[in-house]
Amino acid sequence: MAGVYVCVMVLVAFPENKIIESVCYMLVTYLAASSMMDLPGAIAKLMGIQLLVHFRNPFASASMEEFWSKRWNRMASSTLRDAVYWPMVNLSGLQKNTPFRMLAALTTFVVSGIMHEMILYMMTGQVTLRWFWFFTLHGLATLVESVAVQLMPGLKPHCTRLALW
């Protein structure tokens, strides 16, 4: 909670700075999500149940693909991979078909956006489409990054790190 307090104090001190606002929003989102997921994990651990660690140092990601698939909310990404991505790839029969895999990846991001909108609707009774577009655009950006790395072998994924923020 101290991190949230610091972000609020910084926003009060610099109300018109969009960069500071974006960084604070990012940190508060991470802190809130981490708090909501780590608490049940700690309780489960006390009961002898080992759960997957939700976050693996997400801000050290070298690419958007690494961020979303290996570091941010690993339980959700694992569930979406098993429930959306792999069934689409397997149903196609074209498991090595890169365009179809890209469509499956984008569909996974869109489903995540819809799920977030549903959660928001259940909590507030309103649909903003903000989360839908956030995940759809991140899916598109992840695909652009993937294509750029494939087309330009010298391009390292960490060169796209700024796009993540």
Side-chain angles (χ1 to χ4, degrees), residues 25 29 68 72 109-121 123 126-138:
Y25 184 73
T29 302
W68 287 115
W72 183 265
F109 274 94
V110 169
V111 168
S112 181
I114 292 169
M115 287 172 48
H116 280 77
E117 286 294 335
M118 289 174 59
I119 292 167
L120 180 68
Y121 178 77
M123 290 174 24
Q126 61 183 349
V127 174
T128 65
L129 296 181
R130 177 185 231 171
W131 289 108
F132 172 79
W133 287 114
F134 173 84
F135 282 100
T136 300
L137 292 174
H138 269 254

Side-chain angles (χ1 to χ4, degrees), residues 53-138:
V53 175
H54 292 286
F55 298 100
R56 267 192 52 230
N57 201 5
F59 299 121
S61 300
S63 68
M64 293 184 74
E65 180 181 355
E66 179 185 2
F67 178 85
W68 287 115
S69 65
K70 296 181 176 106
R71 293 185 179 265
W72 183 265
N73 197 349
R74 294 172 58 212
M75 188 175 291
S77 67
S78 174
T79 302
L80 286 166
R81 189 179 313 114
D82 293 345
V84 180
Y85 179 79
W86 284 119
M88 280 189 71
V89 170
N90 292 335
L91 282 175
S92 74
L94 305 169
Q95 295 171 349
K96 295 191 186 257
N97 185 336
T98 300
F100 199 84
R101 281 181 175 248
M102 295 171 91
L103 177 63
L106 181 59
T107 302
T108 304
F109 274 94
V110 169
V111 168
S112 181
I114 292 169
M115 287 172 48
H116 280 77
E117 286 294 335
M118 289 174 59
I119 292 167
L120 180 68
Y121 178 77
M122 287 188 281
M123 290 174 24
T124 66
Q126 61 183 349
V127 174
T128 65
L129 296 181
R130 177 185 231 171
W131 289 108
F132 172 79
W133 287 114
F134 173 84
F135 282 100
T136 300
L137 292 174
H138 269 254

Side-chain angles (χ1 to χ4, degrees), residues 15-28:
E16 299 297 320
N17 192 319
K18 293 295 181 189
I19 293 173
I20 291 175
E21 180 182 338
S22 296
V23 169
C24 285
Y25 184 73
M26 174 186 65
L27 289 173
V28 167

Side-chain angles (χ1 to χ4, degrees), residues 1-11 28 31:
M1 292 313 285
V4 174
Y5 177 74
V6 168
C7 283
V8 169
M9 296 311 295
V10 168
L11 287 173
V28 167
L31 292 169

